[in-house]
Amino acid sequence: MGIFQMTKTVLRNLSGGPATRRYPAVAARKGPITRGHVVFNPATCRSCGICSRRCPSGAINLDKEANFWEIDRMRCIACGECVEGCQFDSLTMEQEYFPPVVDRVVERYHITYVKPEKPAKKPKEEGAGENA
Amino acid sequence: MPERIIVPFGPQHPVLPEPIHIDLVLEDEKVVEAIPSIGYIHRGLEQLVQKREYPEFVYVAERICGICSFIHSLCYCQGIEKIMEIEVPDRARYLRTIWSEYSRLHSHLLWLGLFADSMGFENLFMRSWRLREKVLDVLEDTTGGRVIQGTCKVGGVRRDIGQEKLDEIHRGLESFEEECRDLGHVFLNDTTVKNRLRGLGVLSKAEAYDLGAVGPTARASGVEMDHRETGYAAYGDLGFKPVIETAGDCYARCAVRLREVHASIDLVRRAIEEMPEGPIDVKVRGTPEGEYFSRAEQPRGEVVYYLRGDGTKNLSRARIRTPTLTNIPSLVKMLPGVQLADVPVVVLSIDPCISCTER
Ligand code: SF4
Ligand code: SF4
């Protein structure tokens, strides 16, 4: 029985090829809902701040005055809370894992969202200052 | 009388990549006493309850251990739900059960691999881990994370599993079970493995009970104790009988875990078959006020969360007792009498998780 067992394993190993892959040369396996990394779209962000409030690790930093949105990749635990919280679809969870790095990575985005002009009720409009 | 010498074992040692230190008092090659010391990786996670709001602490709880992660979050959530008197929907309870059992499968297969490695059986180690990869793939496809699932939340779960995926998992279980049986066959029937494990590190039933052993360590000595019997999550509906062995040696501890693998597969299968329809979470309002001892069965044994809320967004106290901590006294009891070369096998047989222990 033992020998038969071993033969089965040996044959499978010979025909099957390695069960591992050469990461990072070969990309890691990912599923359809793998939480890889968060991607930000500066064109739709309304600076509401829900993401930075919901983030359990404090990875997101939003500066409403200067119109900057920052994510500290080393703090982010890819939990997906910010993506669930964002009402404006500015955040998406991509399936690829963030590539290995040796330094702290803080990505800084300039929010480019422009408030659409309100259908002019009054002649005076304040839309400036939104786009820094 | 032979001279006594002390061999320090750890904190860095060949069996597991976690720091536990044991001073082994030897007479020739034989251990006569073992003096453990822990405290190398204390991270102060319990204190974090005062800094993180109670729904956020789930993520911290989950990261206490990289193997029992889901059950840590489950135990925490159950505690908060009891304090706040939240009724979790049925579907969420079943999903929690499936993920708990998958965690157990991946933990037990990991352990089997490490255990084979501690005996020097590298090939078996690789086979166990290759099999474990299938479990991780299912976890990744259903939760989005391989080892940190992040799907449990106060009031239910964050993700549903679609019927198609459930059917796929159900179909996959058959071949998986077959492979587990093949793997178990080597562990239980191989002459070399048997010779190595039989009668090694014996813990009697009375000792296991007195020293407060939990999980497979206690069950291998014949103590019928499994927290899943109390019926938390969906275990009450599915019915559950603990797996018991009586020999109390390393072989019995291995056998318990192997049989638990099959018990888990069976539980997953029945949970999928009886999966109720409905919502997966309820809205949570308010803040916890009160205290509760929450318990759950991890792959390594019973974990206890003591949680106290004072009506604010942050809990005022969390105390977590993990299974390895209560299994260390049993380990100290098992070691005297074994040969130095067998110490790694005996240490590993309790499935120690030191980062759990020190939090
Ligand atoms: S995925 Fe989680 S940790 Fe990462 S930025 Fe979003 S909320 Fe923060
Ligand atoms: S990314 Fe979304 S949640 Fe965050 S500030 Fe912008 S709009 Fe708000």
Side-chain angles (χ1 to χ4, degrees), chain A residues 1 5 8-9 12-13 19 29-35 53-56 77 79-81 84 97, chain B residues 52 56 59 63 123 127 130 137 140-146 148-151 158-159 179 182 185-186:
Chain A
M1 190 67 195
Q5 271 290 320
K8 214 160 110 185
T9 310
R12 234 202 11 225
N13 286 352
R29 176 196 186 273
K30 58 174 199 275
I33 56 167
T34 300
R35 298 191 309 271
R53 269 202 305 281
R54 278 184 72 156
C55 178
I77 53 174
C79 63
E81 279 283 343
E84 276 175 30
Y97 292 109
Chain B
R52 298 273 178 263
E56 287 179 348
Y59 297 111
R63 280 160 178 80
N123 185 291
R127 274 185 72 184
R130 182 165 67 189
D137 287 351
E140 186 175 3
D141 289 348
T142 53
T143 67
R146 278 162 56 88
I148 301 287
Q149 280 78 37
T151 41
R158 286 173 68 200
R159 257 182 209 287
E179 284 183 71
D182 282 354
H185 186 80
V186 184

Side-chain angles (χ1 to χ4, degrees), chain B residues 59-127:
Chain B
Y59 297 111
V60 180
E62 203 165 27
R63 280 160 178 80
I64 288 172
C65 175
I67 307 296
C68 323
S69 48
F70 185 80
I71 305 179
H72 266 294
S73 60
L74 170 67
C75 191
Y76 173 79
C77 290
Q78 280 181 345
I80 298 283
E81 282 153 9
K82 275 276 160 34
I83 295 175
M84 298 176 72
E85 289 167 6
I86 298 167
E87 193 68 44
V88 179
D90 285 345
R91 193 171 173 94
R93 289 194 294 117
Y94 275 76
L95 288 170
R96 283 176 173 188
T97 308
I98 291 180
W99 284 320
S100 296
E101 287 314 309
Y102 260 98
S103 305
R104 197 177 317 278
L105 282 175
H106 110 73
S107 173
H108 278 358
L109 286 169
L110 174 121
W111 178 84
L112 286 167
L114 289 176
F115 195 53
D117 184 50
S118 77
M119 298 183 272
F121 202 155
E122 295 290 332
N123 185 291
L124 198 54
F125 156 71
M126 288 185 240
R127 274 185 72 184

Side-chain angles (χ1 to χ4, degrees), chain B residues 201-339:
Chain B
V202 179
L203 188 72
S204 72
K205 183 173 177 177
E207 282 166 348
Y209 189 81
D210 289 345
L211 295 170
V214 291
T217 313
R219 291 196 284 277
S221 297
V223 181
E224 198 169 329
M225 183 172 63
D226 189 315
H227 196 63
R228 285 175 283 175
E229 265 186 308
T230 60
Y232 69 91
Y235 294 112
D237 308 358
L238 295 173
F240 175 77
K241 273 219 74 58
V243 173
I244 307 285
E245 290 278 332
T246 50
D249 54 4
C250 286
Y251 183 80
R253 287 190 276 280
C254 184
V256 162
R257 290 191 175 92
L258 273 166
R259 283 173 52 201
E260 280 190 4
V261 165
H262 292 283
S264 291
I265 294 173
D266 190 44
L267 277 168
V268 172
R269 194 174 277 146
R270 278 185 293 140
I272 291 177
E273 281 160 10
E274 293 173 25
M275 176 72 73
E277 292 296 325
I280 56 165
D281 59 349
V282 288
K283 198 137 186 75
V284 177
R285 284 203 189 81
T287 49
E289 186 164 12
E291 54 185 352
Y292 191 71
F293 267 104
S294 173
R295 305 190 295 163
E297 185 76 19
Q298 281 182 339
R300 301 180 163 98
E302 181 184 322
V303 63
V304 182
Y305 270 64
Y306 166 72
L307 304 166
R308 189 170 67 215
D310 53 6
T312 59
K313 274 199 164 308
N314 301 66
L315 297 180
S316 55
R317 182 82 175 96
R319 169 84 178 88
I320 304 157
R321 199 221 59 194
T322 55
T324 306
L325 186 72
T326 49
N327 276 338
I328 287 178
S330 314
L331 173 65
V332 170
K333 189 83 201 171
M334 288 170 203
L335 282 171
V338 308
Q339 297 286 315

Side-chain angles (χ1 to χ4, degrees), chain B residues 129-164:
Chain B
W129 279 41
R130 182 165 67 189
L131 207 49
R132 171 176 175 258
E133 207 59 29
K134 290 197 175 166
V135 180
L136 292 180
D137 287 351
V138 171
L139 281 173
E140 186 175 3
D141 289 348
T142 53
T143 67
R146 278 162 56 88
V147 290
I148 301 287
Q149 280 78 37
T151 41
C152 209
K153 69 172 183 186
V154 177
V157 290
R158 286 173 68 200
R159 257 182 209 287
D160 201 355
I161 311 181
Q163 192 55 45
E164 228 169 85

